[in-house]
Amino acid sequence: MVDALDARIVKLYTLEPRTSILEASRQLGVARATLVSRLDKLQATGAIRSWAPSLQPMNFGYPVLAFCFLTIEQDKGHGAVVDALVDIPEIIDVHTVSGESDMLVKVAARSNSDLQRVLDAISATKVVVRSSTMLALDTHFEARTLPLFEASAE
């Protein structure tokens, strides 16, 4: 469970990720030890997964974003597909899903023809039977978890 202080801490570090512990404790009006203890707890529980930078592929040469729905070899299992896809750097996210497809994959590419190369690499894994791809025309927001985290503290 998270509380209002946890939500304030996460909001501060989401909006200003380079804030020092001293400055954050000052802004939040809490002792440094309290802040460090809360941050440690949030990391230990997995609420905060990473302090890594948030990368934007379109800003370093990958402006094409696509979502691929994969049908997989059922006797191979999802683990074999994940093991095969992890070596393709253009694959950003992989999810097992319900419905007509087995997996949903988010892919970044340099161009439409580069996307075709990535799709060919996915097919070459021999664990994907069929794929269906949709291009993202615009992204309005993504990885939007702060409002959800704040709501969980209520």
Side-chain angles (χ1 to χ4, degrees):
M1 295 293 296
V2 298
D3 63 17
L5 178 56
D6 292 329
R8 289 175 47 224
I9 292 168
V10 170
K11 182 175 185 174
L12 173 64
Y13 278 103
T14 299
L15 299 176
E16 301 175 41
R18 296 180 63 173
T19 303
S20 71
I21 295 291
L22 182 61
E23 177 60 20
S25 66
R26 188 190 65 71
Q27 285 186 35
L28 295 167
V30 298
R32 284 176 53 187
T34 300
L35 177 62
V36 169
S37 172
R38 293 294 186 108
L39 287 170
D40 288 345
K41 177 193 81 167
L42 290 166
Q43 279 189 276
T45 62
I48 295 176
R49 278 193 316 195
S50 172
W51 293 99
S54 176
L55 302 175
Q56 199 65 288
M58 70 185 317
N59 293 330
F60 55 89
Y62 293 83
V64 176
L65 179 64
F67 296 91
C68 304
F69 296 89
L70 308 180
T71 302
I72 67 169
E73 284 284 349
Q74 296 299 309
D75 62 336
K76 303 286 186 198
H78 295 94
V81 177
V82 171
D83 291 344
L85 297 179
V86 75
D87 293 327
I88 303 172
E90 293 85 359
I91 295 178
I92 298 172
D93 294 322
V94 177
H95 304 275
T96 297
V97 296
S98 63
E100 292 183 30
S101 298
D102 300 308
M103 301 186 91
L104 173 63
V105 177
K106 184 177 177 182
V107 174
R110 293 184 183 277
S111 63
N112 287 349
S113 60
D114 187 47
L115 176 60
Q116 182 61 61
R117 179 192 57 78
V118 176
L119 296 174
D120 291 345
I122 291 170
S123 294
T125 63
K126 304 296 185 206
V127 290
V128 174
V129 175
R130 187 174 71 77
S131 68
S132 173
T133 303
M134 293 191 320
L135 290 175
L137 301 177
D138 197 0
T139 300
H140 302 281
F141 58 79
E142 61 186 348
R144 183 177 170 257
T145 54
L146 182 59
L148 182 62
F149 188 86
E150 289 175 320
S152 73
E154 295 174 356

